[in-house]
Amino acid sequence: MTPPPMAPTGSPMRERETGSDPVRLVRIEVRPHERAGDPRGDALRKQAASIGVRAGAVRSALVYLIEGMLSDADVERVRARLLTNSVLETSVVGASSAAAGERTIEVHPLPGVMDPVAETVRATILELTGAECRVSTGKRFDVAGISEKQAAEIASRFLANPVIEAVHHAPHCPEHLAMFPGSESTVRHVTITTLGDEALRTLSREGHLFLSLDEMRAIQSYFREQGREPTDVELETLAQTWSEHCVHKTLKSTVRITPPAPPEDDVIDWTNRPDHVVNADGSVTIHNLLKSTVAAATNELIADGVDWTLSVFVDNSGIIRFDDEFGVCVKVETHNHPSAIEPYGGAATGVGGCIRDIIGTGLGATPIANTDIFCVAPPDMADIPNGCLHPKRILTQVVAGVRDYGNRMGIPTVNGAVHFDERYVGNPLVFCGSIGVIPAHLCKGAAKKGDRIIALGGRTGRDGIHGATFSSAELTDSHADEFSHAVQIGNAIEEKRTLDAILRARDVQGGPLYNAITDCGAGGFSSAVGEMGEKLGAEVHLDRAPLKYEGLRYDEIWISESQERMVLAVPSGNVAALQQICDEEQVELADLGHFGTENAELVLNYRGGEVGRLSMAFLHDGIPMPTREAKWEKPKVGVKPTAADADEIDIEKTLLKLLSDPNIASKRWIVRQYDHEVQGNTIIKPLVGPLGDGPGDAAVIQPVAGSKQGLAIACGMATALGDPNKGGDPYLMALAAIDECVRNLVCVGADPTRIAILDNFCWPSCDKPENMGSLVRAAEGCYDGAKAYRTPFISGKDSLHNQFRTDDGRLIEIPPTLLISGVGIVPGVSKCVTMDAKLLSPDKTGSCGIFITIGDDLKFANGQMVVDPIRCAAAAYAVHLVIQRGLALAVHDVSEGGVLLAVAEMAIASEEDCGIDADWEFLVPWNEEAGCEDETLVNHLQVGKYVVQLAGYSGGPEFEQVRACVFEASARFGLIPESIASIDAVLSEEDDIRRERDAIDILWCGHFTRSGNFNGIPTSTLRDAFFGTLDW
Amino acid sequence: MTSPQPPTAIVIRSAGINCDAEMVRGFELAGARVDLVHLDRVMSEPGMLKKYDLIGFPGGFSYGDDIGAGRVFGTRVREHLYGALRDAAERGTPMIGICNGFQVLVQTGLLPGFAHGVWPTEPPESTVALAENAGARFIDRWVRMEVPAETRCIWTRGLTDDAELMTLPIAHGEGRFVVDSERTLASIERNGQVALRYAGDDNPNGSAGNIAGICDPSGRIFGLMPHPDRYLSWFNHPYWTRLAPEQRTGDPPGLRIFRNAVEAVRTVSA
């Protein structure tokens, strides 16, 4: 017998055939058996100790509350057969009593919160006993030797989030499970046509619409024309569709920016940019910022011969060609505001949503890898504002969320990063990426008139109401209370079943059973159906959506962001075949209506009556686009380097400080919690080297079994360079982020001419002209960078209200943050390289191999770091040639911490006795202005530079061969003439000098050794610093 | 080719199983013909298991691993398929359970199992289990392995003793091998039923006796926490970029495990 798909937990209980058992609530408590130990209890004890609470023993238990018509024999069967593993656990019906001196902490989800374990228990009890029950679960801890206050502290710091969970200090055993409170579904009209400006503003704020006055006025005039007031669901639909989250109105708007004067002081040349008009007063008007920068770069590259993109900016993810048969698609999203309030659920559903974007690309892609990047406050930050969760809790919980969702989906999480800054304290950033593989002929889909609107997957509940609009607002200390309904908990297995069903429906003989597919993300059905039916119109019957529990209003059904739902456009004739597959995979299918209406309108019905009717044209094109003002002034604080006094240079201290800086220190405690091997295609792992703990530059997977090609996956961020408070320039930040991403990919063997990138802008409010100005500069950097590296943007996303207002009115803006994610084709995986030093057997001088750098030194002008993207692109190409010609044993990019740190990481990642022998001057940057080495400069982010371990010893032919690669690459990028590029050519002295001067720099640095000694510092000391900081 | 008809394998999946493709690939590369079948279908037609020479339970999070790892899958198999699987065991059909599949095999009573002819008609009580890792955390990393010289396991025969190559990836939150009594452990050890151990002192999850995998007394039913299905190619090795090309020849140990069973079946039928 097949367990039926998850039925509503609140569905009415049916009479069973035997009919005599009364409905009752049973509590079953399961504890670890003595012989099995109690790791969960031990872990809590350790956590308590971390905040100074010295607890005695901690005993954990799982609690199941089951309400239904169960006989005693049924209860015994469920307890013994299903809920208890007799080797590991003991269990009781009822509640065990706490021992003397113990305090009980019990955590239960609030009514209506997704509880995947309860769903599984319910379905399995039904199969085992035939009884339909309602189930809820809880966690119990009995902690010895703590006070009441400490128990409350432990609960709030480590165990429960009041937004979704209730804490009990005694065993919880209610008489009945709480039902979710319902509400009336009568049609409500909202008065708007007669309101004045102030009343419109109030309506927008209090109705959680988050629309501007201009937008409210546009809606007002639309309904004045219609001669009626809108219904609540119409207003909600407009608010969702017009939210920043869904429509990217800031990046698509017209911007007028006043650049710094005089123009020659600006690193940006504002002339000759697409759709940029330089006005008489020196200001610049940009029509549709996104189209004129990020997208323009892609379009120009495509026009200029980049012929391997398959779908850019139009679908749920961007697609590039992998080989003749397959494409690879990539999407990166943020889930910042939900993660601020409920980090575990926020991060997990961020992953889930991004995976659904891949499933909903074209006619369906198979997810093959995930990425994650977090920006959080430092874990040791002292003053946490009211209304913020502790940063350490946020980090551990977002990691757990990504882990539990990605691992359960069976998708390897292969790449990521963590960046710490105090300004993320109230508004952390959680970026989730997903990558898929798709048959190249299935890259496009479109709904056809008459297609059924089919919802697949999870049921709709009241979780995640107003997520899209909430994400477009500023966070405050009271948001956790006000927006608890925006919080969602994921159910990965629901999504996995849905994926299994969709892939079967895609791959049936004769082609997919559907014409289009998309996911329910922000805005729920309203966005999914609205987008798919943009040209055709759609008629939807909201009462046909399966619900998690009774009592949802029609408008809640329409905008709920309940997870794990997909919408498909299915020809009527295929619905039965799709139903068959869904039945076999235990996926629920609901027919909500059809695409195609007269006048292409969106028509919403509920229980036989019409509750909404909107023109698709107004919905999608009616949003007013005002011109935004942007300002940029050259930062007053310069980053101009000051030379350290030569006597003060203490390299050992500097190096250990860098290695233990949370931004640099090893993240292996995170990486190892993710399954990065599932699917069996991860061939360069995120952690590399013989000890499996070296920080790899990029991961490589094989998306297509049997193909010799691989796909490298990496990211780049250079937040420090763009921080206006520290004299940064977001333009340089964007160039540096693209450069870092490209370098990471090239380091493992990706072909720099086959790299595609994605942008994720996370900014504070751009209503402020200064922030809008920094956003414009970052976008211009994206344009120039993408053009120089010839790396098209294929997809992107922005999140533009990342700031937190404390209860005393202080505004904390995040630093402008740009994440560049990238994928690159690896032509032959056998040539992949990793960053760990490979110790050769020592030659007679004791050298176990030599390392060099490729790429220019840091340069500064006018107090700003100079980034020349063309020279950086040439360096990337040179390194690619070096790898392809087998000249490199190890390659690593040089970023924070300079060459010094890069070489240290290569040694740490190698065997335990790895050391180096080099002159410090080769590892520390040269300060041109001061005319000396300058260890203060190692703190600067560096661009365009690589450390390469050559495949040979000093005196071998490899160094000359590398020079040849460098000249060849320099010529390719026009830095030197082709005629003098060849190393064999007989050149005039002048040409020879020119070649050396204009080509990108290479520098011989030093030797790896087996001394276990890093130029005088024990390598083991370096390891301790690198691994100690974040070893949680 | 010893036989014109390749051996056939069934790989049984369910909601939440996510390593089925790797297991199918492992059997296929080893020379078997493979059917991937949903548990519901096997439960509705248990007789189908007779058609197969090999049976595989892949890894993943079956039914979310809610309640406990492999608990729902295990309970369903125990309730509906125990008889058919016991018959297969009596026929000598090799079976493998990897990770979640291992968790299923111990909960259905197929491991540590019984000698030929004495399999009970009703599912026996479990005597071993896979508990939450000692560190209370999911771990993914490669761990060095060793095969006890005295093992009866047909799957782990002849694996390389090159310590650098004899490594397998683990990826689990509940992989700590626990026994109900010292007697059980002693009997598993004495009978040569330990098929695979974590080598040296590197016991990643606190397993009793450093045990990573066990087999039944016939050596044909094999369950293990590490993933041989993720080591079918030398490019899967955690640091193959450091290995000399001549080190990377022949079957990697993960593939060899599948090959061993397929060859054993082929030899019998030939």
Side-chain angles (χ1 to χ4, degrees), chain A residues 49-365:
Chain A
S50 76
I51 55 164
V53 175
R54 301 216 173 281
V58 180
R59 300 187 299 128
S60 75
L62 299 169
V63 178
Y64 300 90
L65 302 175
I66 303 165
E67 188 173 16
M69 283 183 282
L70 293 170
S71 68
D72 289 348
D74 287 341
V75 171
E76 182 49 25
R77 194 144 175 244
V78 167
R79 184 195 67 80
R81 280 274 159 260
L82 180 61
L83 299 181
T84 315
N85 179 325
S86 60
V87 180
L88 301 176
E89 295 158 334
T90 61
S91 54
V92 293
V93 176
S96 60
S97 42
E102 280 183 338
R103 282 187 192 278
T104 298
I105 307 170
E106 210 169 282
V107 179
H108 289 261
L110 295 172
V113 171
M114 162 69 82
D115 184 350
V117 179
E119 292 288 358
T120 303
V121 172
R122 190 203 58 76
T124 315
I125 290 177
L126 181 61
E127 185 178 76
L128 276 179
T129 68
E132 184 70 78
C133 297
R134 297 173 62 220
V135 180
S136 176
T137 68
K139 291 173 288 188
R140 173 174 176 173
F141 292 91
D142 294 290
V143 187
I146 56 166
S147 67
E148 195 180 328
K149 193 169 153 253
Q150 287 172 323
E153 196 181 350
I154 289 173
S156 75
R157 269 298 290 278
F158 305 116
L159 294 177
N161 185 340
V163 173
I164 52 162
E165 289 159 321
V167 177
H168 305 266
H169 290 282
H172 177 56
C173 196
E175 276 186 31
H176 295 288
L177 292 180
M179 296 289 268
F180 200 60
S183 43
E184 282 292 301
S185 248
T186 47
V187 182
R188 283 187 302 205
H189 284 86
V190 182
T191 306
I192 190 170
T193 56
T194 53
L195 297 183
D197 285 354
E198 209 36 57
L200 285 175
R201 277 203 191 95
T202 309
L203 176 61
S204 172
R205 176 69 185 92
E206 287 180 0
H208 289 162
L209 303 175
F210 295 107
L211 294 171
S212 71
L213 182 60
D214 281 343
E215 290 156 355
M216 291 300 287
R217 282 190 189 138
I219 293 172
Q220 185 178 50
S221 72
Y222 173 81
F223 284 101
R224 279 180 181 160
E225 279 165 34
Q226 305 289 312
R228 66 179 177 92
E229 299 292 350
T231 61
D232 49 0
V233 73
E234 289 170 333
L235 213 45
E236 289 281 10
T237 305
L238 286 162
Q240 302 296 321
T241 312
W242 290 7
S243 67
E244 184 65 62
H245 190 99
C246 292
V247 79
H248 307 286
K249 51 197 175 194
T250 303
L251 272 169
K252 287 181 181 168
S253 64
T254 296
V255 190
R256 198 178 68 92
I257 183 167
T258 312
E264 52 278 14
D265 262 14
D266 195 350
V267 287
I268 300 180
D269 177 2
W270 292 93
T271 56
N272 297 322
R273 287 178 176 265
D275 288 317
H276 286 51
V277 178
V278 181
N279 304 312
D281 65 354
S283 67
V284 181
T285 303
I286 307 161
H287 298 289
N288 191 330
L289 180 59
L290 189 66
K291 219 169 143 188
S292 314
T293 55
V294 173
T298 300
N299 292 332
E300 289 173 28
L301 287 170
I302 290 173
D304 191 34
V306 169
D307 58 359
W308 41 267
T309 64
L310 293 178
S311 170
V312 292
F313 294 113
V314 293
D315 204 337
N316 286 321
S317 69
I319 316 177
I320 61 167
R321 184 171 284 288
F322 179 73
D323 59 17
D324 289 345
E325 226 179 309
F326 292 99
V328 161
C329 54
V330 195
K331 175 62 171 271
V332 182
E333 285 241 302
T334 52
H335 225 211
N336 304 335
H337 289 189
S339 302
I341 291 180
E342 213 306 279
Y344 178 82
T349 54
V351 174
C354 199
I355 294 168
R356 285 198 306 281
D357 276 330
I358 295 301
I359 303 171
T361 292
L363 287 170

Side-chain angles (χ1 to χ4, degrees), chain A residues 1-3 35-40 43 62 64 77 81-89 116-117 120-121 124 127-128 403 407-410 493 496-497 500 504 584-586 669 671-685 687-691 702 705 829-834 836-839 909-911 1032, chain B residues 13-22 25 38 40-41 43-44 60-68 71-72 75-76 78-80 106-107 123 125-142 144 164 169-172 174 176 178-181 227 229-231 233 235-242 248:
Chain A
M1 178 189 141
T2 302
R35 68 165 79 96
D38 189 346
R40 220 170 305 153
L62 299 169
Y64 300 90
R77 194 144 175 244
R81 280 274 159 260
L82 180 61
L83 299 181
T84 315
N85 179 325
S86 60
V87 180
L88 301 176
E89 295 158 334
V117 179
T120 303
V121 172
T124 315
E127 185 178 76
L128 276 179
R403 173 195 69 200
N407 291 0
R408 276 180 167 71
M409 282 297 290
I493 297 310
K496 175 73 167 98
R497 282 198 303 256
D500 292 344
R504 281 184 61 188
E584 286 169 16
E585 300 295 335
Q586 296 144 33
W669 71 275
V671 179
R672 283 183 178 165
Q673 291 189 60
Y674 299 147
D675 191 336
H676 41 78
E677 309 264 1
V678 60
Q679 301 190 11
N681 298 324
T682 310
I683 58 166
I684 298 294
K685 333 276 183 197
L687 294 173
V688 299
L691 307 173
Q702 278 180 303
V829 290
S830 62
K831 291 200 168 142
C832 284
V833 174
T834 51
D836 46 307
K838 319 284 187 299
L839 301 183
S910 184
E911 293 162 75
W1032 293 352
Chain B
R13 75 181 176 102
S14 78
I17 287 295
N18 59 32
C19 302
D20 41 333
E22 301 85 299
R25 204 186 310 160
H38 199 287
D40 290 350
R41 253 199 69 211
M43 276 165 53
S44 67
F61 289 79
S62 53
Y63 303 100
D65 276 1
D66 300 332
I67 311 173
R71 187 76 59 83
V72 174
T75 302
R76 300 185 80 208
R78 201 181 158 90
E79 297 271 328
H80 299 274
V106 300
Q107 291 180 71
E125 287 301 317
S126 297
T127 55
V128 303
L130 285 316
E132 186 172 18
N133 294 345
R137 191 184 276 175
F138 185 98
I139 313 171
D140 175 346
R141 67 181 176 92
W142 286 70
R144 297 247 159 110
E164 279 207 303
I170 59 158
H172 58 247
E174 296 176 46
R176 178 166 49 109
V178 174
V179 290
D180 66 346
S181 68
H227 278 277
D229 49 330
R230 299 180 183 182
Y231 193 7
S233 147
F235 291 130
N236 289 132
H237 186 277
Y239 54 89
W240 63 266
T241 58
R242 303 177 70 87
R248 300 188 252 131

Side-chain angles (χ1 to χ4, degrees), chain A residues 402-426:
Chain A
V402 169
R403 173 195 69 200
D404 286 355
Y405 210 98
N407 291 0
R408 276 180 167 71
M409 282 297 290
I411 302 168
T413 302
V414 298
N415 183 258
V418 185
H419 184 70
F420 296 95
D421 187 297
E422 294 204 342
R423 288 165 289 172
Y424 297 117
V425 68

Side-chain angles (χ1 to χ4, degrees), chain A residues 795-880:
Chain A
S795 169
K797 199 92 185 175
D798 50 278
S799 167
L800 301 182
H801 290 272
N802 293 291
Q803 52 196 35
F804 181 85
R805 195 168 296 275
T806 61
D807 51 358
D808 55 5
R810 193 161 51 97
L811 181 68
I812 307 176
E813 294 185 338
I814 66 156
T817 308
L818 171 67
L819 170 69
I820 298 290
S821 307
V823 293
I825 306 287
V826 176
V829 290
S830 62
K831 291 200 168 142
C832 284
V833 174
T834 51
M835 53 72 74
D836 46 307
K838 319 284 187 299
L839 301 183
L840 305 170
S841 47
D843 71 4
K844 50 184 185 289
T845 68
S847 167
C848 299
I850 49 176
F851 59 92
I852 63 168
T853 62
I854 299 178
D856 295 350
D857 270 347
L858 275 177
K859 284 191 182 66
F860 291 84
N862 293 324
Q864 283 285 11
M865 198 171 124
V866 177
V867 180
D868 181 343
I870 293 288
R871 294 188 66 83
C872 293
Y877 194 74
V879 171
H880 177 59

Side-chain angles (χ1 to χ4, degrees), chain A residues 575-630:
Chain A
V575 174
L578 182 60
Q579 180 78 61
Q580 170 77 27
I581 290 173
C582 287
D583 288 347
E584 286 169 16
E585 300 295 335
Q586 296 144 33
V587 173
E588 201 163 3
L589 176 156
D591 185 335
L592 301 182
H594 64 268
F595 289 107
T597 58
E598 241 180 283
N599 308 324
E601 282 180 320
L602 173 66
V603 183
L604 303 176
N605 300 297
Y606 185 72
R607 294 188 177 159
E610 187 177 303
V611 293
R613 182 177 285 265
L614 282 172
S615 129
M616 283 286 191
F618 178 65
L619 184 59
H620 290 285
D621 304 320
I623 180 171
M625 287 285 189
T627 297
R628 282 162 199 273
E629 286 299 321

